[in-house]
Every structure is written in structure tokens, then in C-alpha cells.
Amino acid sequence: MFAEISQLLLCLSLSLSLYFGIKGLALSYSANFQTSAHLISRSLARTSILISVLILSCFLLLMQLFIVSDFSVLLVATHSNALLPVQYKIAATWGSHEGSFLLWVLMLACWNTAVTLFSHAKDDLFYIRTTSIMLLLIGVFLLYLIFASNPFTRIFPVPLTGQDLNPLLQDPFMVIHPPMLYMGYVGFAVCFSMAVAALSTGEVNSQWAKYSRPWANAAWAFLTLGILLGSWWAYRELGWGGWWFWDPVENASLMPWLAATALLHSVIVVERREQMLSWTLLMAITAFSLSLVGTFIVRSGLLTSVHSFASDPARGIFILFILLGAVGLPLFLYALRAGSLSRASDYYLLSRETGLIINNYILVVSTLIVLIGTFYPLGLELFTGAKITVGAPYFEASFNPVMAI
């Protein structure tokens, strides 16, 4: 019964997010927007809270299914057993492809609710478009969750026992590491949505940077904590030197972290000088795009990794289409508007701003190095059929010298 209730709640969340996301954007372009802005803002805020409550209910119901060992649910039967300690039954909720993606969507909904609750100008066109864009993102990910990665699928006949959680995941770090990592990944959706909203309104200035900076700081902090916990976990499992192996999934978390670090520095320049406007927008879009790339790596099975959740290329293709749509349209909008955002430089060569710009270039080059090293084997196999592995020697020879600067 819990599984069927959760299915209904997910479908309701999907309908609400798509309907109000599209409606919010449409009304923001209407002629009488200024007179109805307060009503639109309040409606979006209430909808965002409701969607968060609905998805949280689904997640808690899934957790309950794991705790009571309901093996009639396929996900429970394949990732748990009756003798598993309770803390690992709870962790098993996100120890699979389907469960982890439900956690992803839940955190996206919670970030959106936080924006609606703590924004300073709820009637502002900027915040209404930001919230509408995030609702559309939630809707797109719910589409994938319901139709390609449903965690509440039933199985018949019901097995007598489960297949157990992967022994490597039966660790205290499994309880805290993935949630922290996902909070960082998904948090960049706020910066992404604010960047797209600013591009659509044409109001990219120090005020936009002031609004965006706290969210970028929070997402970066969560991602940093998640990476540190993952490194500590790997060190405990593998011993000295085992904290980082340049594995594709490890690189998937490093790339958005590098882009986000560049974003944190460039947004300071925008806030203080209103310089690097188009560059900072691009970094906001890039940080979230690389988070989606990481999702693609973990779930497609196209790149071999001990951290991968699935080896189903069909799911990876679904996520690839999401990536192309969610990022392609904002990049197209960016290409149209970026030229109008250029400003004449008004700072000295030897200044803090110059240092921040150089820092940004170094971080972007480092990101490209990791990106090439991660996807080069896949590209080579696709075009030539040859299979190679890019390991630590490449990264130590290219990445380390650049970061040492």
C-alpha cells in the first residue's frame, strides 16, 4: 500500500511542478504582471512547499519499506535483507540508483523551498522566474524518476529474503557521505536558475551577485564536505594513499567543485565592481551542468567505476537528453545575451580583481584537464574501438602543475 501511495504522490508532484513552473514563467511575461506579482509569488511559494512535503513523504515511505523489509518492492528486495542493521537499512534507501535519484529530487525540492522562504524580494520578477525554472527542473527529474527509474516497482512472486546491500556500502560513512554530496550537486541548481532568470530579465548586476552568492557558498560548502567525507571513507577502506584514485566518479565530483570555486571568486568581482558579468553567468551554468555530467557518469555505466550505481546505458541516454535540454537552452540564451553584458575594466593590473581573474582561468583550465582525462577513453572507444584507461600519471603530469601555480 505504501508503494502505491508513493506512486500517486510522485505523480501529483510531477503535475504540480510542471503546471506551476510553466504557468509562473508565462505569467511573468504577461502585460499585467506588476499588478499580480504578489499573488504569483505567494502561489509559487505555497506550491514549492507542498511539492517538498509530497516528495519528502515519498522518501520517508520508501525508507519505511526498507526498515520493515518489504521484499514485494523490487528495490528493497535487491538492496536489503531482514538481518541488516537499521542504520544500513536507512542508508540503503539511497544506496541504489533509484533511491539515490529520489533523494536527488527531494533535495532539489528543498533547495527550491529554501529560495522561496528566504528570498528578500519575493514579488520581484527575478525570484518568480528563478522559482519557476526550479519547478520545471523538478518536473523534468520527476519524469525520469517515474518512467525510467521508479523506486516503488513491485515484484512477483515475492522473494523470501533480500539480496543484501553491497558490503562496501555497509559503513557509517554511507549514512552521511551521499546526502552531503547530493546537497552540493543539487545546490548549484539554485545558482543555475538564478543565472538563467537574470539572463531572461537582462538584470545582471551587483544585486544579482548579492542574491546568488550565499546560495553558491552553501552549495560549495556541502560539496566540499561531501568530497572530504568520501576521501576519508576511501582512506579507511583502502589505506595509505587510497583517498583519491582519479576514478571517473571521483572526477565527477571534482569538476563541479572546481567550476564552483571559480564561481565563488568571480561573483565577488561582480558584486564589488560589476565586472566579469558574462563569465560569472557562464560559471553558474557550468557548475550545475557538470553536476548533471556527474549524474550521467554514475548512472549510465558508460564509464567503468567502482562507485557507479548502474550499468544501464538506456538510463544514461535519458539523463543525457535531460542534460542537453536543461543546459542547451540556457547556453543558447547566454550566447544571445552575453555580448550586451560586457563592461570596460576599471581596475589596476596589480589588484585583487586581477588575481581573482587569474585564479578563475587556472580553475577552468584544471576543470578542462579533468574533463578530457575522464571522457577521452570513451571518445576514443566510440570513434576507433580502442580501449584505454587514463589514470593517475596523466593527471599528476597535467593537473598538479596547473594547480600548483
Side-chain angles (χ1 to χ4, degrees):
M1 189 66 178
F2 282 171
E4 287 69 32
I5 293 174
S6 299
Q7 298 270 24
L8 291 174
L9 294 181
L10 285 178
C11 291
L12 179 58
S13 301
L14 170 64
S15 302
L16 289 172
S17 58
L18 291 179
Y19 175 76
F20 280 93
I22 294 172
K23 184 178 180 180
L25 283 180
L27 290 176
S28 71
Y29 285 97
S30 63
N32 62 341
F33 168 76
Q34 293 300 330
T35 59
S36 59
H38 178 69
L39 293 176
I40 297 172
S41 177
R42 188 167 61 179
S43 175
L44 290 176
R46 290 176 175 177
T47 302
S48 298
I49 295 171
L50 176 59
I51 290 173
S52 295
V53 171
L54 293 175
I55 299 176
L56 176 61
S57 300
C58 293
F59 187 79
L60 293 177
L61 288 173
L62 179 62
M63 189 178 293
Q64 178 65 15
L65 291 172
F66 271 96
I67 291 174
V68 301
S69 298
D70 186 349
F71 298 131
S72 67
V73 176
L74 178 61
L75 188 66
V76 179
T78 53
H79 291 86
S80 183
N81 69 66
L83 300 179
L84 198 65
V86 174
Q87 67 269 26
Y88 296 138
K89 286 185 178 182
I90 293 173
T93 309
W94 54 79
S96 64
H97 169 79
E98 295 84 358
S100 67
F101 210 84
L102 178 58
L103 179 62
W104 172 287
V105 178
L106 171 61
M107 290 183 171
L108 181 58
C110 291
W111 276 108
N112 185 37
T113 298
V115 171
T116 62
L117 292 177
F118 300 109
S119 60
H120 299 293
K122 295 180 183 177
D123 297 343
D124 186 74
L125 174 64
F126 169 71
Y127 271 108
I128 289 175
R129 289 193 181 172
T130 296
T131 305
S132 299
I133 291 167
M134 291 199 69
L135 285 173
L136 288 177
L137 286 175
I138 293 170
V140 169
F141 287 123
L142 280 173
L143 277 173
Y144 171 79
L145 184 70
I146 294 171
F147 295 104
S149 185
N150 198 312
F152 299 103
T153 303
R154 292 286 188 181
I155 183 173
F156 186 82
V158 179
L160 296 177
T161 185
Q163 298 179 14
D164 204 3
L165 179 67
N166 186 331
L168 289 176
L169 300 182
Q170 296 180 31
D171 188 281
F173 279 92
M174 183 61 188
V175 179
I176 187 65
H177 164 61
M180 290 298 102
L181 201 63
Y182 290 171
M183 279 292 285
Y185 278 152
V186 181
F188 295 122
V190 178
C191 305
F192 169 85
S193 300
M194 287 186 170
V196 177
L199 280 170
S200 68
T201 61
E203 297 179 1
V204 185
N205 48 38
S206 60
Q207 194 67 22
W208 166 79
K210 182 180 179 181
Y211 289 151
S212 302
R213 187 178 173 188
W215 303 103
N217 287 338
W220 182 89
F222 278 116
L223 183 57
T224 301
L225 180 58
I227 292 173
L228 290 175
L229 289 171
S231 298
W232 189 4
W233 185 3
Y235 180 84
R236 290 176 69 252
E237 292 287 340
L238 303 172
W240 178 255
W243 58 279
W244 196 268
F245 275 107
W246 296 106
D247 180 90
V249 173
E250 292 175 348
N251 295 346
S253 64
L254 180 61
M255 288 186 289
W257 184 87
L258 291 169
T261 305
L263 171 63
L264 292 184
H265 289 86
S266 62
V267 79
I268 295 174
V269 179
V270 176
E271 185 175 355
R272 295 182 178 179
R273 298 270 191 167
E274 291 201 359
Q275 301 289 323
M276 301 179 66
L277 299 178
S278 60
W279 175 267
T280 304
L281 287 171
L282 182 60
M283 286 299 97
I285 295 172
T286 300
F288 182 61
S289 302
L290 291 174
S291 296
L292 293 180
V293 168
T295 304
F296 170 74
I297 292 174
V298 174
R299 289 163 173 82
S300 66
L302 297 179
L303 293 173
T304 303
S305 168
V306 297
H307 304 281
S308 295
F309 276 116
S311 57
D312 186 353
R315 286 175 172 173
I317 296 300
F318 200 126
I319 296 175
L320 184 60
F321 278 114
I322 293 176
L323 175 63
L324 293 175
V327 178
L329 292 176
L331 286 178
F332 177 74
L333 180 61
Y334 172 82
L336 294 177
R337 298 289 181 88
S340 63
L341 301 175
S342 59
R343 299 283 192 279
S345 301
D346 63 349
Y347 47 83
Y348 297 105
L349 180 62
L350 298 177
S351 65
R352 183 182 181 185
E353 285 75 16
T354 301
L356 291 173
I357 292 172
I358 295 173
N359 171 275
N360 261 243
Y361 290 152
I362 292 173
L363 289 168
V364 169
V365 170
S366 300
T367 304
L368 290 175
I369 290 172
V370 177
L371 184 68
I372 292 170
T374 303
F375 282 96
Y376 177 75
L378 179 61
L380 186 66
E381 182 179 357
L382 180 64
F383 290 105
T384 67
K387 294 185 177 182
I388 66 168
T389 301
V390 176
Y394 161 79
F395 294 102
E396 291 172 358
S398 54
F399 180 84
N400 290 354
V402 172
M403 290 301 290
I405 297 176

